[in-house]
Amino acid sequence: MTTYQKRYAESLMNAFGPPKLTLARGEGAHVWDTDGTRYIDFLGGIAVNALGHGHPALVEAVTAQLKTLGHVSNFFATEPQIALAEKLLALLGAGEGKVFFTNSGAEANEAAFKLTRRTGRTHVVAAEGGFHGRTLGALALTSKAAYREPFEPLPGDVAFVPYGDQQALADAVTDETAAILLEPIQGEAGVEVPPEGYLAAARRIADEHGSLLWLDEVQTGMGRTGRWFAHHGTGVAPDVVTVAKGLAGGFPIGACIALGAAGELIQPGQHGTTFGGNPVACAAALAVIGTIEQEELLEHVTVLGQKLRDGLAADPRVTEVRGEGLLIGLDLADEKAADVFAAALAAGFILNNPTPTRIRLAPPLVLTEQDAAALLDAWPAILDRAGL
Ligand SMILES: Cc1ncc(COP(=O)(O)O)c(C=O)c1O
């Protein structure tokens, strides 16, 4: 055990298990540990470090805003907060709407969950395998028994249906349903892509019953899939979209975005936050969005993501590769995901093993061709070393 691991174990709650490394600094898609060993970061803080590490545009925006105005209460407005809300609505391209800023994905979902209660209904239909966060409300919307059971009873009236099954969704939604909640691609499940037409069916079913369609784009949003939002391109217009993770490239922020009439559901006194909408976090998000636009990263993400998927799938020990853009999941021929993670780390690559058979990649959107090629070159040896 290193000194850091010992100090960590003695001072931090054991919520995450022992840390794999102690990281000291980063640049682009590279990070270095406290011993000076370099790793190529294919996890990006779990789909967070959109611009990688230490991007000058992000550093400058945060520094300049902190020097100018670091925090105000939500009794007051700031320009970055208004500009970011306007920008998110413009990127969504779904007409008028209203934004509530939070500090995380779970809080964005809490805000949306409360908003759905303002319809006068309480029933929510969510998907098995979905993940929406760890607060009691977000957990109530998350199906995984191991996460839920130690904390029951959770806020109720949530039904779970198999993800991707239109008929199951149609059967579960009634005139009492406040909202259907879905991830456009399930991230934590190991990058589960629904069948074509699933989101459109969810929209139809929601309309039939006067329910809201709420899309959790916390992991899939903000360019991760090569589109600003994963539901873009499906022709589906949601009522509520939640985002976080990559929004400010590592600066904590989330947003609950309600479109059309849903934007009026929360009224004064019904929700609040001290830090949500903090001007530094909003300036960081504006810098991330501006950089994605200026560096034309959506196109880069689409092209590089396809190359990575093709390269990873070329090895027969990989039985399936899924995902869009730089949100990539793959299935291994055997329950060796933990060994693949360890072998990759030993070879200088940070991956993620969300299930015993699945590997997930969610690298910075600025990942270079060379970084991607380095992983593909090392891939067969990583699988050998993992005993596959
Ligand atoms: C789809 C989705 N929703 C919500 C969350 C929770 O976000 P946070 O960890 O910022 O609370 C996550 C985190 O992994 C997520 O993937």
Side-chain angles (χ1 to χ4, degrees):
M1 204 188 253
T2 67
T3 315
Y4 286 113
Q5 281 167 336
K6 187 167 178 295
R7 284 171 57 196
Y8 182 100
E10 285 170 1
S11 60
L12 284 126
M13 283 193 201
N14 190 21
F16 303 99
K20 318 286 186 225
L21 300 170
T22 303
L23 296 173
R25 68 186 178 92
E27 194 181 321
H30 299 173
V31 288
W32 284 262
D33 69 10
T34 43
D35 295 330
T37 305
R38 191 195 77 163
Y39 301 85
I40 307 183
D41 182 6
F42 280 86
L43 185 55
I46 317 185
V48 167
N49 299 99
L51 304 186
H53 302 271
H55 194 291
L58 184 52
V59 174
E60 264 166 43
V62 166
T63 310
Q65 186 57 47
L66 194 54
K67 277 185 184 164
T68 310
L69 186 66
H71 176 79
V72 299
S73 77
N74 273 310
F75 296 131
F76 306 99
T78 65
E79 207 278 330
Q81 169 202 44
I82 297 168
L84 180 60
E86 290 171 344
K87 186 71 189 176
L88 286 172
L89 291 167
L91 291 177
L92 268 167
E96 288 184 8
K98 298 284 169 66
V99 179
F100 183 92
F101 286 118
T102 67
N103 311 290
S104 67
E107 285 171 88
N109 285 333
E110 284 287 340
F113 197 8
K114 284 181 73 175
L115 178 149
T116 68
R117 292 276 170 110
R118 299 294 306 145
T119 61
R121 304 178 183 183
T122 56
H123 186 236
V124 176
V125 178
E128 288 170 10
F131 182 80
H132 304 290
R134 303 294 200 130
T135 60
L136 287 177
L139 206 49
L141 302 160
T142 297
S143 72
K144 192 167 172 175
Y147 293 167
R148 297 169 61 87
E149 279 168 4
F151 303 101
E152 287 175 338
L154 296 167
D157 217 2
V158 181
F160 295 103
V161 292
Y163 186 62
D165 182 338
Q166 290 187 24
Q167 192 55 51
L169 193 60
D171 293 345
V173 177
T174 73
D175 289 350
E176 300 299 314
T177 304
I180 298 172
L181 164 60
L182 296 170
E183 290 162 82
I185 296 173
Q186 288 186 331
E188 295 302 300
V191 188
E192 200 61 48
V193 182
E196 190 136 351
Y198 182 59
L199 292 189
R203 176 70 276 174
R204 253 189 336 270
I205 295 163
D207 287 343
E208 275 163 30
H209 297 281
S211 315
L212 300 172
L213 177 63
W214 162 13
L215 298 182
D216 180 341
E217 293 245 23
V218 165
Q219 186 155 161
T220 54
M222 306 318 301
R224 168 84 13 217
T225 63
R227 298 188 293 271
W228 280 111
F229 297 93
H231 73 269
H232 280 172
T234 65
V236 171
D239 301 298
V240 180
V241 179
T242 42
V243 290
K245 285 199 181 274
L247 176 55
F251 215 90
I253 189 171
C256 167
I257 310 165
L259 297 154
E264 307 306 324
L265 285 169
I266 293 283
Q267 289 298 312
Q270 291 174 345
H271 199 41
T273 169
T274 296
F275 291 117
N278 169 283
V280 182
C282 291
L286 286 165
V288 169
I289 294 168
T291 305
I292 292 173
E293 287 176 334
Q294 278 152 30
E295 296 187 6
E296 298 181 353
L297 290 177
L298 297 185
E299 173 67 10
H300 170 73
V301 163
T302 303
V303 172
L304 197 57
Q306 190 60 51
K307 270 193 194 160
L308 263 172
R309 279 195 299 281
D310 291 346
L312 294 164
D315 194 294
R317 291 166 288 184
V318 173
T319 55
E320 188 178 55
V321 179
R322 297 172 302 276
E324 287 176 22
L326 287 175
L327 182 60
I328 299 175
L330 59 88
D331 285 358
L332 302 167
D334 204 351
E335 293 199 348
K336 293 273 186 187
D339 302 288
V340 170
F341 167 83
L345 200 65
F349 301 94
I350 296 178
L351 311 182
N352 171 242
N353 50 318
T355 80
T357 54
R358 291 184 159 180
I359 292 291
R360 171 177 52 170
L361 311 184
L365 309 185
V366 295
L367 187 82
T368 63
E369 295 261 355
Q370 294 89 313
D371 290 333
L375 178 64
L376 294 180
D377 285 347
W379 189 230
I382 290 171
L383 298 182
D384 288 348
R385 186 167 174 163
L388 261 163

